Structures are given as C-alpha cells and as structure tokens.
C-alpha cells in the first residue's frame, strides 16, 4: 500500500520528469528537478549545460537558483528536492549549502552519484547540514529517459551503411 508520503513523492517526481522532457526537447541530457515547499513547487530546472555552455547548469542548480529567488533567501529550509538522476558532487554540495532538508531521486548515477552510490555527501556528518535521501522513486521511468536519449544519440553518430 502506498502511504501519503510515497504518493506525494510520485506526484512531484512526475513534475521532475516533465522538466527532464523539456531538456530532451532541446537536445539536452534529460534530467529534471523541482523543489517543493508546503505542497507547492517553488523552483524548477532541467539540464542546460549544452545550451548555456556552462558546466554548472545542472537541473538541480537551476531549480535551487529559482527557489532561492522565489523565497528571497539562500536557505531553502523545509524544502524537498525531486530530481530524476542522483545528484553529482557539485549538486550535492549545493544541496548541503542551501540547507535543503530532503532529496528524492529517481535513478542512481554509477559515474557521479553522491547521494549514496559513489559516496553520500548529503548524509556526511562532518558537514554542518545533512539531508534525508529517498532513492528509486519512479526509477524505471527516470532511467528509461536517459537510456533512450543516449541510444538515439549513438544511433545518430553511427555511419549509415553504404549501398553495395
């Protein structure tokens, strides 16, 4: 049985997936994020690294920036970040710095995941803030977005067969 928290997590992860689809529509890696406070989205973001030529334009960073502007504060207290892919070291650092209380992610990142896969910067007791981490919400859907995107990218790069 799905409890209310799980149901809310699914609802907001679907919003993060919608953000990921926006990234995909502009040929960005399909990663999306939303920040929720008191049952309302206060920040949205999707990957914009290629578009902006900025390595810090990750979905989480975009959502954190928007939420901070919305609240007119750098401390994002009582907020939950929903993101389709496990945060990288940079994003995990920004989550700690912005004091986000809870992070819910869709699929793990075996190459850069810092919310439990390679390390867990969000639960590091030596920092001055720790965030609760929930993993695997709509994991198959989140993983599929990435798998399909990279599959299409590889197919585009393959030379077409020459006629004999």
């Amino acid at each position: 049985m799905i409890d209310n928290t799980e149901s809310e997590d699914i609802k907001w992860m679907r919003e993060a997936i919608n953000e990921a689809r926006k990234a995909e529509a502009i040929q960005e890696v399909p990663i999306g994020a939303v920040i929720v406070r008191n049952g309302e989205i206060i920040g949205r973001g999707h990957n914009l690294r290629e578009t902006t030529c900025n390595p810090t334009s990750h979905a989480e960073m975009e959502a954190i920036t928007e939420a901070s502007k919305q609240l007119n504060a750098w401390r994002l207290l009582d907020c939950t970040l929903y993101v389709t892919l496990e945060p990288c070291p940079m994003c995990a650092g920004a989550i700690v710095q912005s004091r986000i209380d809870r992070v819910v992610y869709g699929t793990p990142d075996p190459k850069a995941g810092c919310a439990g896969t390679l390390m867990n910067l969000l639960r590091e007791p030596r920092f001055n803030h720790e965030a609760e981490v929930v993993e695997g919400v709509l994991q198959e859907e989140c993983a599929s977005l990435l798998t399909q995107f990279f599959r299409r990218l590889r197919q585009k790069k393959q030379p077409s067969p020459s006629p004999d």
Side-chain angles (χ1 to χ4, degrees):
M1 179 166 180
I2 295 178
D3 69 23
N4 193 40
T5 303
E6 285 179 83
S7 176
E8 286 291 302
D9 286 349
I10 290 169
K11 171 185 172 181
W12 298 121
M13 185 60 74
R14 291 205 185 287
E15 291 292 328
I17 289 169
N18 289 339
E19 287 298 313
R21 292 187 195 288
K22 291 178 186 177
E24 184 176 38
I26 56 172
Q27 280 74 57
E28 291 276 359
V29 176
I31 301 166
V34 296
I35 297 176
V36 175
R37 184 174 187 214
N38 298 326
E40 178 184 341
I41 294 175
I42 60 166
R44 292 177 176 274
H46 53 273
N47 225 22
L48 289 171
R49 288 190 312 174
E50 301 298 328
T51 302
T52 62
C53 297
N54 181 344
T56 67
S57 291
H58 288 201
E60 300 97 321
M61 301 296 278
E62 298 295 318
I64 288 169
T65 299
E66 187 175 294
S68 295
K69 286 178 185 173
Q70 174 80 17
L71 295 180
N72 196 31
W74 63 267
R75 287 181 190 89
L76 300 179
L77 303 173
D78 303 317
C79 291
T80 299
L81 169 73
Y82 294 87
V83 61
T84 56
L85 181 66
E86 180 181 5
C88 72
M90 173 184 67
C91 294
I95 291 162
V96 169
Q97 290 298 313
S98 63
R99 311 297 195 267
I100 291 172
D101 292 322
R102 189 166 176 264
V103 175
V104 179
Y105 72 84
T107 194
D109 184 350
K111 294 181 179 178
C114 285
T117 298
L118 298 180
M119 63 184 70
N120 195 340
L121 295 177
L122 301 178
R123 301 294 300 161
E124 175 53 60
R126 294 174 291 181
F127 289 149
N128 63 350
H129 177 76
E130 292 182 51
E132 175 189 349
V133 176
V134 177
E135 60 185 74
V137 174
L138 298 179
Q139 181 175 350
E140 287 181 22
E141 195 171 340
C142 293
S144 179
L145 277 169
L146 292 161
T147 303
Q148 297 301 321
F149 176 81
F150 287 113
R151 185 172 291 144
R152 286 190 302 272
L153 202 59
R154 282 191 300 275
Q155 287 171 347
K156 283 183 186 176
K157 288 183 179 181
Q158 289 182 359
S160 49
S162 58
D164 288 322

